[in-house]
Structures are given as C-alpha cells and as structure tokens.
Amino acid sequence: MTAPPSDHEEFARSIRASGFRFVAGTDMRGHLLQHGALEDWDAFAASWNDLAPDAYLAQVGRHRRRRHAVFRAGRDGAIERQPHQPHYQALTYNALQGDIERWFEPVREHIADGASLRTVLGFCRDFFSTLAPQTATWHIELHQFRIEAGPDNEGQPTPEGVHRDGVDYVLVLLIDRHNIVSGTTTIHDRDGSLLGSFTLTAPLDAALVDDARVFHGVTAVTPQDATSEAHRDVLVVTFRAQT
C-alpha cells in the first residue's frame, strides 16, 4: 500500500495548523513504504523483548525498559549513527530527571541498521524537513520503550507528566500493546488546555508532534488481566535542528 502524496500533504497541513496529528497504523504503513521497506518488522518488534531496565527510575518504582541511539542526517543526505552518548534534557523540560546525563543501553547494531528502523528514520527526515525547510542538518535521538504494568503497579509512559521534550518534532510509533488498558495520549497548549486525545492501539499507530508548539503526555496503563504480563511498546524518535 502506498499513500498518495495528497494524503501525505494533508496531515502535514494539519500539523502546521494544530501542532499534532494522529495517524492510524494502516495509513502510516503506506507513508513509511514510500521511504523504504518493513521486511524485518517481526524481528524489529521482537527486539523490544531485549530492552534493559531504566535504572534512573528504579528509586521511584516505575517499571520501564529502554534502549537509546543517536543519529545525524542532512536533509537530503545519509542518516549516520553517532557514537553512543547520554540522553540529556534540561530541567525546564523534564522536572523529574532534568539537568542530568542519563546513559542507557544502546540500540542493538543489527536493529539500528535494519530495514524497518531505517525506513522510519527516512520518513521522519523527509517529512520533518518538509515542515522545516530552513533546517540543513538534524540531530536525531531514538528510544525503544517498554512500559510494564502489574496488579500492584500502574505503568507510567510519561512519569514526568505532561511535558515537552525540548526538540523540534517527535514521532511516537506504537510497536505493540499486550494485555493493557488506557495509555491515552493527550495534547495540550501552553496554558494546559486540552487540544486533543487519542489512544495508540494497533501496530504502527502514530503520533506526530510539533514539540515547540504543544505539550503531550500519556495516561497510566494497567493490566486487563491482572494475572498475566502486561506491557506497552513504543518507538520514540525526536528531531532537533543541529546547530
């Protein structure tokens, strides 16, 4: 399935107008396939079973696993992985864990070089470059997240609350959700007013966010069946103009 260019431009217009857009997985697949292949998707999705605990949240008892990688891309050039480095957010953007360098386990090399991830990054580079024609080079960070929930603990996709990431644009792509309820994404303006909400429920459901304009958060997830394992897997990709 290939999305017509008019559809592509239609949700670009909505992001320019409102600062965010939900894209259903069936539509998102078409947009991604304009930028590459998803032939290794099963292996890509299975790599979420190999994430490392987020040690920075251990002291507050929230169950989150993740891996992290950094890339650089010119608007028309190759997407190049950068040496492993810490993830840093100013306290202004992350009241819970801001102003510290957080080192996470790196994304596995075969996942970073795989078709699915390169397709996602290619889509983001081309689409976000359309929204920011003045940007020549992008600093890209990506995070594999698994949020776990149990009978005695809610899973917190955004433990820092409603926030901005301190970047230009964000893609949140659902990989899998198993045995959970809730996990609703909420979008807010600067005064906290709710602009919209939606729940990522199917693989490839996506949220595209203009981080400079709106705030976002995700409600806690709980198990549907308290006796079984429950998780929410997402890929978060952030783009910031390289200075």
Side-chain angles (χ1 to χ4, degrees):
M1 173 181 175
T2 299
S6 58
D7 287 352
H8 194 134
E9 178 57 27
E10 188 276 326
F11 73 68
R13 284 196 301 270
S14 70
I15 293 169
R16 294 187 188 105
S18 63
F20 71 98
R21 176 64 186 258
F22 166 76
V23 185
T26 51
D27 294 333
M28 193 65 191
R29 176 178 292 273
H31 291 295
L32 290 173
L33 290 176
Q34 295 182 65
H35 299 271
L38 299 172
E39 60 200 24
D40 64 342
W41 179 262
D42 288 347
F44 178 60
S47 72
W48 266 255
N49 295 322
D50 183 38
L51 305 189
D54 183 343
Y56 296 91
L57 285 176
Q59 70 275 19
V60 289
R62 295 184 172 93
H63 298 268
R64 178 158 71 170
R65 297 177 180 274
R66 67 195 295 176
R67 288 184 181 272
H68 174 245
V70 178
F71 295 79
R72 180 182 182 276
R75 60 182 302 111
D76 299 315
I79 299 170
E80 300 174 341
R81 188 168 186 177
Q82 301 300 290
H84 193 52
Q85 55 197 263
H87 176 53
Y88 178 86
Q89 290 174 297
L91 196 62
T92 305
Y93 297 108
N94 189 331
L96 181 64
Q97 297 177 313
D99 287 353
I100 60 173
E101 292 187 343
R102 288 181 287 163
W103 288 90
F104 300 110
E105 291 297 311
V107 173
R108 298 286 191 190
E109 187 173 351
H110 70 283
I111 297 299
D113 291 338
S116 291
L117 185 53
R118 290 292 170 160
T119 294
V120 171
L121 292 177
F123 162 81
C124 289
R125 177 200 58 198
D126 293 348
F127 181 62
F128 294 146
S129 292
T130 298
L131 295 174
Q134 74 284 359
T135 298
T137 307
W138 292 105
H139 174 86
I140 306 165
E141 295 193 45
L142 66 86
H143 309 260
Q144 294 178 281
F145 282 112
R146 169 166 286 182
I147 306 302
E148 300 171 325
D152 300 318
N153 66 279
E154 293 181 324
Q156 297 286 346
T158 53
E160 63 272 47
V162 174
H163 66 286
R164 290 166 55 206
D165 288 335
V167 297
D168 294 317
Y169 300 104
V170 181
L171 165 72
V172 181
L173 188 72
L174 184 71
I175 306 301
D176 180 48
R177 53 184 285 153
H178 173 71
N179 187 36
I180 62 166
V181 294
S182 195
T184 297
T185 298
T186 60
I187 306 293
H188 305 258
D189 66 13
R190 292 176 182 273
D191 69 6
S193 299
L194 182 67
L195 298 175
S197 65
F198 47 84
T199 304
L200 307 181
T201 59
L204 294 177
D205 278 1
L208 293 160
V209 179
D210 183 339
D211 190 65
R213 292 178 54 195
V214 298
F215 291 69
H216 63 279
V218 183
T219 62
V221 297
T222 57
Q224 191 168 30
D225 176 359
T227 66
S228 298
E229 185 265 346
H231 65 255
R232 178 182 187 264
D233 293 348
V234 298
L235 176 71
V236 175
V237 184
T238 66
F239 270 59
R240 174 172 54 83
Q242 183 81 60
T243 56

